[in-house]
Amino acid sequence: MTKLAVIVAAGLGSRLGERTANYPKGFLELDGKPIIEHSIEKLLESGIEKVIIGTGYKHEQYEALASKFPQITCVFNPIYELSGSMRTLYLCKKQITEDFLLLESDLIYEKKAIQMILKSEERNVILASEFTHSGDEVFIEMSVKGKLVNLSKHREELASTNAELMGISKISHSSFRKMCSFAEKEWSNPFKMDYERALVGISETEEFEILKLSDVAWCEIDDESQWNRAFHVIYPIIQSKEALPVFNIPRNILLNPGPATTTNTVKFAQVVADICPREQEFGELMEWISREITQFVASTNDYTTILFGGSGTAAVESIISSVIADEGILIINNGAYGRRMCEMAEVYQLPNLIFESSSDSPIDMDRLEKCIQNNINIISHLAVVHNETTTGLLNPIEELGELCKKYNIQLIVDAMSSFAAIPIDMEKMNISYLAASANKNLQGMAGVSFVISRKMDLEKTNHNRPRNLYLHLYSQYRHFKLTKQMRFTPPVQTLYALKQAILETKWEGIENRYARYTEMWQILIEGITNLGLEYIVEKKNHSKIITAIKEPTDSNYDFERMHEFFYENGITIYPGKLENQKTFRVANIGQVNRGDIERFVILLETYLLTLKGRE
Ligand SMILES: *Cc1c(COP(=O)(O)O)cnc(C)c1O
């Protein structure tokens, strides 16, 4: 068992400007405690007994820290301004007499990272993660056996890469000695080498296992934007993950189109002290949520998010019932959710036109444009579903936005099943109103939905006669703007879960999330195709989020029975909703991964074989 840790902490941290004017980077504070102390506590709690800190810039701070922790020894690198991290590590040579963990001083991370690397039986291990897109990442090239080949800040210098260096490694004593010899031979003037270079330098003879941890929260803090991310996103995530009680909640795999599978941290975020939602503290929570949701798709200068207690339909109905004045609405109907907006227009007796379009192929844009031209005097809005959840057909909202610009009408998008997965830019796409909810790709709990609106357009609805009370968009907007409150009781605990879900979405990143969903979709499509099943929408028009699959033709097939079979195996699938074709649906959203989809495919094969057996 490794008992020693070495932290290289000599750097100037000059990219952090004022923040590191008087303190080295390790003394940036989170919760009133330097990040180096967070790190040392985690090391000691994980069984590390001695910590060597290689110091340089403002070394006296570390020496003061060493007087608080008898486990710490400081080794000063007097030429820290001129040297790279390998020089600092090299100077600790006398003190390093055994295998050790090597860490950088500007890291925050989950304790799990240390536990995992210590648990590994290999003596040389480098921790890696998915890409963080931090802008300063070190990419890892590894061999087919998962060993280190090369490291670089420039992706293009590597033959391939699918992992990023975390800055925590386990190094055997003998490999360390080789790193030192390598460095001695290569010392360029004056000692600019980083330890990464030395690792690569000896990797031909010394094997370093790359241990990729996909679910461990961490970040490096090198500049202001990384500091912001550390402070506002990663540290809160680390805290919530480490505070998770040991409690065995069965993990169900929901392959229905929302509510989706959530993380345990989202589930537990609901367990909070009781609070009256009229308290200022709660108002601030909702304001934060509203701002963050807006920022996923637009700038908060021109756009705002209006929250409602209610399922997704509430947000769509709020828009449809509130924003139309005297003119009418043109609704594109190419599935059950487009149909639902038509029903709303009927219920509220709005002047409406329905543009019927095939549920499995793209909208005929020329025909749509003609329809708009012919009716331009009687329509003010165009409504469309982004990802039609009935089939997975993805409607071209960007092109629709251009069309709306050309004819000066406003675009309403039901983005319930695309928001927080498929990147959307409301400004660029010319979208006036967008509806979504907490419990689909945001991976939160059901009970909150929201409308994101261009403020300029929303303000103009001020004079529309309200057609309902609870869902009246302008009233909800104005009330929130004045009081930071919803007009009626919000789903309190659901909103705490939503905050956590938003943080986790920011942690993963919308593009990474969509990449994860897309990978699962590929596995799903390959799997069902191999089993002889067909799906409705062609790849090029597909959202890759939800798929309507044609039902097997075996006479023994019965959806309810198949559902039951999967349900008993912890997986939930969904019935179809197409009027003219028999389908069932599989959504690949939520905190689900490729292994879950692979399992789904295996179970599907098993199920289909039982049908054959019964014939
Ligand atoms: C899920 C969904 C809705 C909302 O459904 P609720 O059951 O009210 O949450 C609306 N539109 C689309 C496209 C959806 O996928």
Side-chain angles (χ1 to χ4, degrees), residues 247-304:
F247 195 93
N248 196 14
I249 311 173
R251 179 166 177 272
N252 287 339
I253 308 297
L254 300 186
L255 301 183
N256 48 296
T261 304
T262 56
T263 59
N264 284 350
T265 32
V266 165
K267 292 180 187 78
F268 271 102
Q270 297 175 103
V271 184
V272 287
D274 294 318
I275 184 168
C276 169
R278 302 282 162 217
E279 291 302 323
Q280 187 185 335
E281 186 188 334
F282 198 78
E284 282 163 10
L285 170 77
M286 288 195 287
E287 195 181 38
W288 183 92
I289 288 173
S290 159
R291 193 174 55 240
E292 293 292 336
I293 286 175
T294 308
Q295 280 172 356
F296 283 133
V297 291
S299 117
T300 49
N301 291 333
D302 299 325
Y303 286 78
T304 190

Side-chain angles (χ1 to χ4, degrees), residues 257-259 310-316 336-338 340-341 344 384-390 414-418 435-437 439-440 446-449 546 574 577 585:
S311 85
T313 304
V316 181
Y337 296 88
R340 194 177 288 176
M341 292 198 282
M344 289 172 189
V384 68
V385 175
H386 186 200
N387 169 23
E388 187 34 275
T389 316
T390 319
D414 170 354
M416 209 67 60
S417 60
S418 57
S437 69
N439 60 297
K440 292 193 175 178
V448 181
S449 62
I546 170 124
Y574 213 57
K577 215 172 192 172
R585 284 182 288 172

Side-chain angles (χ1 to χ4, degrees), residues 359-519:
S359 55
D360 57 19
S361 37
I363 297 168
D364 179 341
M365 293 297 281
D366 293 333
R367 186 164 70 87
L368 178 66
E369 181 162 3
K370 288 215 181 73
C371 175
I372 293 175
Q373 277 171 353
N374 293 340
N375 297 287
I376 193 64
N377 294 327
I378 54 168
I379 55 169
S380 54
H381 293 76
L382 172 67
V384 68
V385 175
H386 186 200
N387 169 23
E388 187 34 275
T389 316
T390 319
T391 53
L393 177 65
L394 191 67
N395 284 318
I397 50 174
E398 189 160 0
E399 289 171 50
L400 292 170
E402 277 170 31
L403 205 56
C404 286
K405 188 167 271 167
K406 184 165 168 193
Y407 292 96
N408 194 25
I409 54 182
Q410 293 180 7
L411 181 58
I412 298 168
V413 177
D414 170 354
M416 209 67 60
S417 60
S418 57
F419 185 83
I422 302 178
I424 294 172
D425 181 338
M426 287 184 69
E427 209 144 15
K428 192 166 142 232
M429 295 172 171
N430 186 34
I431 301 168
S432 296
Y433 302 96
L434 182 142
S437 69
N439 60 297
K440 292 193 175 178
N441 309 325
L442 265 180
Q443 303 185 176
M445 293 294 162
V448 181
S449 62
F450 47 86
V451 175
I452 309 171
S453 164
R454 190 189 270 146
K455 288 185 204 166
M456 204 173 66
D457 296 331
L458 182 60
E459 289 288 354
K460 287 185 197 143
T461 66
N462 184 7
H463 303 294
N464 293 0
R465 186 188 59 80
R467 297 184 176 92
N468 49 28
L469 180 71
Y470 191 91
L471 294 175
H472 189 237
L473 189 61
Y474 188 81
S475 302
Q476 187 84 344
Y477 162 65
R478 187 188 47 207
H479 190 81
F480 193 78
K481 202 164 96 167
L482 296 176
T483 65
K484 292 190 195 165
Q485 294 295 334
M486 288 195 208
R487 285 179 300 153
F488 308 104
T489 308
V492 175
Q493 287 71 17
T494 305
L495 284 158
Y496 281 104
L498 179 54
K499 176 181 180 184
Q500 180 70 21
I502 289 170
L503 284 173
E504 292 180 14
T505 304
K506 291 179 71 164
W507 173 34
E508 181 169 29
I510 288 180
E511 282 173 31
N512 285 350
R513 178 163 293 177
Y514 193 40
R516 176 167 60 84
Y517 287 1
T518 303
E519 186 192 25

